[in-house]
Amino acid sequence: QSAIERIAQRAACEQERDSVLIATWPAAALAGWLAGSENRIQQSVCEKLLAANVTGEQLLCLRKGDVSKLGLGTLGMEVRLLSVVRKVRNSHFAALRAFFNAPPSCSSCSSCSSSSVAAASTIAVVAAPPPPAAAAAAADATERSSIPHDFKCPISLELMEQPMIAPDGFSYEEAEITTWLASHDTSPMTGEQMASEPLILNKSLRNAITAWKEEHLRRRR
């Protein structure tokens, strides 16, 4: 039994189990999972990932630049896929950390001890980045995951400072949507033609973000 399978056995639910086993999935299994009701990734996107032979292990390493190269169509599709990737990546490495940080069930047993070492080596090869990078990635992922979805710019996926309402009805970080509109006349979320109208500051959203940031900083102290 592989280390990944042993970790998956400890999963509290099916979603957690999938987030562990995803590192072993071939492209076809990954495409089927992404198209499922839990993720709701469009069939056309799944077909492009399958055509590119993207496996589960590779999906865990996908970044924004990689997704853009796949040519998924609209930015809305890219944002949805990146959101799923970030969620499953966080869950995957959280399960790995919990497994290897847990005290051994029989520390005096040499076979269990050697098995744990072998499992750790296997995981390092299969999915985990180098220790320093893993720690930094985990901290960054935790920080990002705490940001409410509505507070993130759909283009950069970063916390907005100056949210502006565009003619398509979505709110974007001012710098990001300004850069986008300099070379596009379509909505980055829907791909449809966007009216040439001025951007409007979303004051209520900006106030909500400011309040959240203050509360978030207070809790970290």
Side-chain angles (χ1 to χ4, degrees):
Q1 188 181 41
S2 71
I4 284 287
E5 290 172 334
R6 285 165 51 202
I7 297 173
Q9 286 181 341
R10 296 192 176 191
C13 61
E14 183 178 354
Q15 288 79 10
E16 184 179 333
R17 179 177 178 275
D18 286 346
S19 73
V20 174
L21 291 177
I22 192 172
T24 67
W25 290 351
L30 176 67
W33 176 76
L34 287 171
S37 58
E38 175 69 20
N39 300 303
R40 303 189 306 278
I41 297 298
Q42 291 186 13
Q43 187 62 36
S44 60
V45 174
C46 295
E47 290 173 354
K48 288 186 178 181
L49 291 171
L50 182 58
N53 198 32
V54 176
T55 65
E57 182 180 353
Q58 291 169 333
L59 185 82
L60 291 172
C61 301
L62 278 184
R63 294 294 186 269
K64 184 178 179 181
D66 303 319
V67 173
S68 297
K69 292 177 183 177
L70 291 171
L72 302 183
T74 67
L75 184 62
M77 293 183 188
E78 293 185 10
V79 169
R80 176 61 188 163
L81 179 59
L82 284 169
S83 177
V84 171
V85 170
R86 183 174 294 111
K87 180 179 178 181
V88 72
R89 181 191 296 134
N90 291 347
S91 181
H92 178 83
F93 286 107
L96 265 58
R97 288 195 301 273
F99 180 84
F100 290 113
N101 289 336
S105 56
C106 48
S107 57
S108 60
C109 178
S110 60
S111 62
C112 286
S113 178
S114 60
S115 176
S116 294
V117 172
S121 299
T122 301
I123 293 299
V125 173
V126 172
D140 183 62
T142 301
E143 180 70 19
R144 288 172 181 271
S145 64
S146 68
I147 302 174
H149 178 73
D150 292 341
F151 293 176
K152 298 178 184 178
C153 172
I155 298 176
S156 67
L157 299 180
E158 301 290 345
L159 180 66
M160 289 186 281
E161 299 287 344
Q162 193 76 351
M164 306 296 289
I165 303 174
D168 62 356
F170 292 93
S171 291
Y172 307 87
E173 177 61 34
E174 183 176 25
E176 296 291 344
I177 189 61
T178 299
T179 300
W180 172 272
L181 292 175
S183 56
H184 301 79
D185 60 359
T186 56
S187 165
M189 291 298 287
T190 66
E192 298 178 356
Q193 195 79 19
M194 193 152 60
S196 180
E197 298 176 2
L199 303 175
I200 302 172
L201 176 63
N202 191 333
K203 294 182 180 179
S204 60
L205 180 56
R206 186 178 65 175
N207 292 340
I209 291 173
T210 299
W212 177 84
K213 286 170 63 178
E214 292 174 351
E215 177 64 17
H216 186 64
L217 289 174
R218 186 185 65 80
R219 289 181 178 180
R220 291 182 60 182
R221 289 171 185 159

